[in-house]
Amino acid sequence: MTWFRRKRTRELALVVCFLLPSLAIFFLYRLLPLGWNAWLSVHAWSPLKAAQFIGVEHYEEMLLDDDMFWQALVNTLVFIACSPLAIAAALGIALLVNSDLRGAAVYRTIVFLSYPLMTVAVGIIWRWLYDERGGFFNYVLRSSGIVDQPVKFLQSFDWALPCVILADFWQVLGFYMIILLTGLQSIPQHLYEAARVDGVPASARFFRITLPLLRPSIFLCIVVGILNSFTSFDLVYVMTNGGPGHATELLITYIYKAGFGQTRFDYAAALTVVQFLLLVVLTVIANKLSGGNAGSLERQ
Amino acid sequence: MRRSPGSPAHWPRHVIMIVVCFLMLVPFYWVIKTSLTGENIYAWPPRIIPVDPHLFNYVDVWYMIPFARYLLNSVIVTAMAIAGSLLFNVAAGYALTRHFPGRRWIVVLLLSCMLIPFQATIIPAYLVTSWLGVLDTWLGVALPLLSTIICIFIFKASFEAVPPSLIDAARVDGLGEWRIVTRILLPLSKSAIATNVILTFIWSWNSFLWPLIAIRSPDMQTLPLGLARFLSVMEDTTGALFAFVVLVLIPGLAIFLMAQKEFIRGLTSGATKG
């Protein structure tokens, strides 16, 4: 009996030793920050000052007096709202390369090629494509006679945000495609064969079989699109740094500026809390819309 | 009804895909062209084929900025992240295959941690790192990547696929737990190892926001920071910037092209970057 108990204790000690380093890292860099952000957001604190509880003052300031916050919020929402365009394009490409097309693997590789790249470098590449003198877009527009004067894309209040979003599309398109391809390949082929035998037209096959069964993959793409508004910090930082004015300011770049530019850690924490809640709410909504009745083919 | 590959009815799809691929490749071409050109990069109209192509810009990169230093920092940080994450993820993945009280809770905890994007933790992460006293060090930059939840689950799944009789036999032969992991389980989990190495490499090599926060001294800057710094000093006035971009992109592209399958498998199971 003691042998058994000793074995149990040893087993437990082993598990603890093996898990501890990972759990310590997740505690320090995921869980603790979540709570710390919430705590900071209701305190007045700076590295040289003792913390003082101030309730929702930061949130009041943010919602009532901070135009930059609203601008960043709107831009972030626009950024997210545009991602369905890229997802639709990716779906089209996925349908094309999923078929028995010769060379489909080569097409897939090329479309995916931009995803693993360093985003800072991608930002520099696109900055250059938009350049008014040496850039590709102005070259095409001017030499085809569509415009006379060079367009300063990234200095323009109207164009800067769409330009950054397009650069982001270019990088993430391949990833959406891969997610959707994985989804397409998990759809049982016999459904299509049965529909074909019944004489169901191709468009109906797409809307009644493909799209409903792809819902989980589309949901995953939407979540990636939402997260992209967080991870696009690198792109915005390099391409426009939030400018002109704050036309391309995202919540994440504003958090960085508030925290590390103005050393207002407490206010930046409050911004982060709002951004995190936004992420959770949007993800839940997306889940309701697309995952809620995913795989409901039998019911139709 | 199925058409055979390459039959005439396929050509509209080929046309669409060739156009798509062309558009996807334009940015690559434009930056490579600019990095090779011998004339003023602002010359109008820009040439499609670089005039007088040469590699001066690539040589310039080594003289204009401490490229070797950035490279060294990036390599060390990435090597630390890969070594650490392999060790800790394998250990945690193995622990989760064992039965112990509270295992379910730990799995739930890890799955919920996965939903917290790193970008939403930057302020406290900075304060934690500063409190640990590792700001502005290689370790400080690598630390948040030393264990990654998705890879823990990949290892767990891979270990669970190994027949238990094999592990029991090894135990009867008197192998210790760590020996069982390194001698029996790891040789059977090559694709999990590849996924872990590739994902950690990409995350660490491309990481920008975290080093931007955690690093102060110019000596410690990694390649993405060096790139951003070069841009802010020079604007895009020199072809050397684009040579720098090309040099920085090569390792990521090479790894992707060499191990496409593992790469895509890992990313689709990870689903988020960073």
Side-chain angles (χ1 to χ4, degrees):
Chain A
M1 237 16 221
T2 42
W3 171 81
F4 180 71
R5 198 168 297 142
R6 246 175 56 206
K7 187 169 168 257
R8 285 285 300 270
T9 325
R10 263 183 51 196
E11 170 112 7
L12 203 63
L14 170 94
V15 163
V16 169
C17 286
F18 275 22
L19 271 176
L20 210 56
S22 295
L23 289 182
I25 288 166
F26 299 136
F27 175 72
L28 286 176
Y29 284 99
R30 304 270 165 155
L31 283 183
L32 181 66
L34 208 60
W36 202 337
N37 267 328
W39 183 86
L40 269 176
S41 73
V42 291
H43 285 78
W45 179 83
S46 72
L48 298 173
K49 218 174 63 190
Q52 190 197 348
F53 182 76
I54 56 160
V56 293
E57 240 171 73
H58 286 312
Y59 293 100
E60 261 176 41
E61 179 190 342
M62 190 191 312
L63 299 172
L64 300 177
D65 302 325
D66 192 351
D67 293 341
M68 199 163 148
F69 162 73
W70 286 105
Q71 170 109 53
L73 179 67
V74 169
N75 288 343
T76 305
L77 290 175
V78 169
F79 211 96
I80 294 170
C82 285
S83 60
L85 292 176
I87 297 172
L91 179 58
I93 296 171
L95 287 171
L96 283 175
V97 299
N98 189 41
S99 52
D100 48 2
L101 209 58
R102 187 174 285 173
V106 178
Y107 294 141
R108 274 202 296 266
T109 304
I110 292 176
V111 174
F112 191 75
L113 207 55
S114 51
Y115 184 71
L117 302 182
M118 185 186 290
T119 314
V120 173
V122 169
I124 293 179
I125 294 176
W126 278 80
R127 219 183 123 101
W128 180 236
L129 292 175
Y130 287 127
D131 191 89
E132 73 225 56
R133 284 168 292 179
F136 172 76
F137 289 102
N138 271 304
Y139 169 69
V140 171
L141 288 176
R142 280 176 76 185
S143 45
S144 64
I146 296 175
V147 297
D148 303 329
Q149 290 302 310
V151 186
K152 296 183 170 184
F153 286 106
L154 294 178
Q155 284 84 33
S156 143
F157 280 88
D158 297 327
W159 286 107
L161 188 61
C163 286
V164 173
I165 291 175
L166 185 65
D168 177 60
F169 277 9
W170 179 74
Q171 186 169 27
V172 83
L173 187 72
F175 191 39
Y176 290 144
M177 178 197 70
I178 291 291
I179 294 175
L180 293 168
L181 265 177
T182 316
L184 282 176
Q185 277 155 9
S186 68
I187 298 177
Q189 278 303 316
H190 65 80
L191 291 177
Y192 291 107
E193 275 146 32
R196 219 174 273 133
V197 170
D198 291 349
V200 179
S203 61
R205 287 204 296 269
F206 175 75
F207 285 107
R208 305 298 289 271
I209 302 177
T210 311
L211 219 48
L213 285 175
L214 264 186
R215 276 193 177 163
S217 309
I218 292 174
F219 167 67
L220 193 55
C221 286
I222 291 174
V223 172
V224 170
I226 295 170
L227 281 172
N228 232 9
S229 68
F230 284 52
T231 48
S232 295
F233 173 86
D234 309 12
L235 206 57
V236 171
Y237 184 91
V238 174
M239 284 180 76
T240 61
N241 198 17
H246 297 291
T248 54
E249 202 76 68
L250 298 179
L251 281 173
I252 183 68
T253 57
Y254 185 35
I255 290 169
Y256 174 80
K257 284 178 183 169
F260 299 97
Q262 310 166 0
T263 339
R264 293 189 66 196
F265 290 121
D266 44 3
Y267 191 59
L271 288 168
T272 310
V273 170
V274 170
Q275 190 198 32
F276 186 67
L277 290 179
L278 182 75
L279 168 84
V280 172
V281 169
L282 286 177
T283 309
V284 170
I285 292 175
N287 189 21
K288 278 269 152 57
L289 287 181
S290 57
N293 46 3
S296 62
L297 190 79
E298 282 81 8
R299 272 191 281 129
Q300 285 179 350
Chain B
M1 282 298 280
R2 282 224 149 181
R3 299 187 190 95
S4 66
S7 71
H10 276 278
W11 70 261
R13 297 197 215 160
H14 278 294
V15 170
I16 298 174
M17 280 320 295
I18 286 169
V19 170
V20 168
C21 289
F22 173 77
L23 292 177
M24 293 302 286
L25 290 175
V26 161
F28 287 105
Y29 179 74
W30 206 254
V31 71
I32 292 169
K33 180 216 80 166
T34 311
S35 73
L36 290 175
T37 194
E39 61 172 355
N40 175 7
I41 59 168
Y42 285 122
W44 181 262
R47 315 282 180 117
I48 298 299
I49 310 288
V51 222
D52 179 24
H54 59 60
L55 291 171
F56 290 167
N57 286 327
Y58 288 84
V59 179
D60 267 1
V61 169
W62 293 84
Y63 291 104
M64 292 173 79
I65 45 161
F67 184 83
R69 181 73 210 186
Y70 296 152
L71 184 66
L72 179 76
N73 290 332
S74 264
V75 167
I76 290 179
V77 166
T78 302
M80 283 171 83
I82 291 177
S85 70
L86 264 183
L87 180 66
F88 295 153
N89 291 342
V90 166
Y94 180 61
L96 288 182
T97 63
R98 310 297 289 265
H99 293 277
F100 58 90
R103 184 175 85 138
R104 251 186 46 158
W105 287 108
I106 289 190
V107 170
V108 170
L109 182 80
L110 290 180
L111 286 175
S112 41
C113 274
M114 220 155 103
L115 302 176
I116 307 172
F118 182 74
Q119 286 80 4
T121 66
I122 52 172
I123 305 286
Y126 171 79
L127 299 172
V128 166
T129 314
S130 142
W131 174 70
L132 292 173
V134 289
L135 274 184
D136 215 15
T137 64
W138 290 318
L139 180 64
V141 181
L143 203 51
L145 274 177
L146 281 190
S147 187
T148 35
I149 297 163
I150 182 62
C151 295
I152 291 180
F153 285 111
I154 291 176
F155 275 119
K156 175 175 179 277
S158 172
F159 293 161
E160 274 168 351
V162 173
S165 56
L166 208 60
I167 299 169
D168 289 339
R171 203 162 284 146
V172 168
D173 285 349
L175 253 67
E177 295 294 336
W178 188 246
R179 281 277 192 87
I180 290 176
V181 174
T182 54
R183 295 282 167 81
I184 313 276
L185 294 178
L186 282 184
L188 293 169
S189 309
K190 289 215 176 71
S191 97
I193 296 173
T195 304
N196 186 328
V197 169
I198 291 166
L199 285 183
T200 312
F201 171 84
I202 289 292
W203 285 333
S204 166
W205 188 259
N206 294 351
S207 164
F208 177 65
L209 178 58
W210 178 237
L212 185 68
I213 292 166
I215 284 178
R216 284 283 161 267
S217 46
D219 260 7
M220 294 300 297
Q221 291 189 320
T222 54
L223 283 168
L225 291 183
L227 204 48
R229 186 183 156 84
F230 192 35
L231 178 74
S232 67
V233 175
M234 302 296 295
E235 290 294 321
D236 16 34
T237 53
T238 159
L241 176 70
F242 303 104
F244 193 175
V245 166
V246 173
L247 287 177
V248 162
L249 291 184
I250 287 173
L253 279 178
I255 290 215
F256 166 63
L257 290 175
M258 279 186 311
Q260 236 186 100
K261 225 172 66 194
E262 278 85 8
F263 191 91
I264 287 174
R265 199 179 66 101
L267 277 177
T268 40
S269 48
T272 57
K273 51 176 177 169

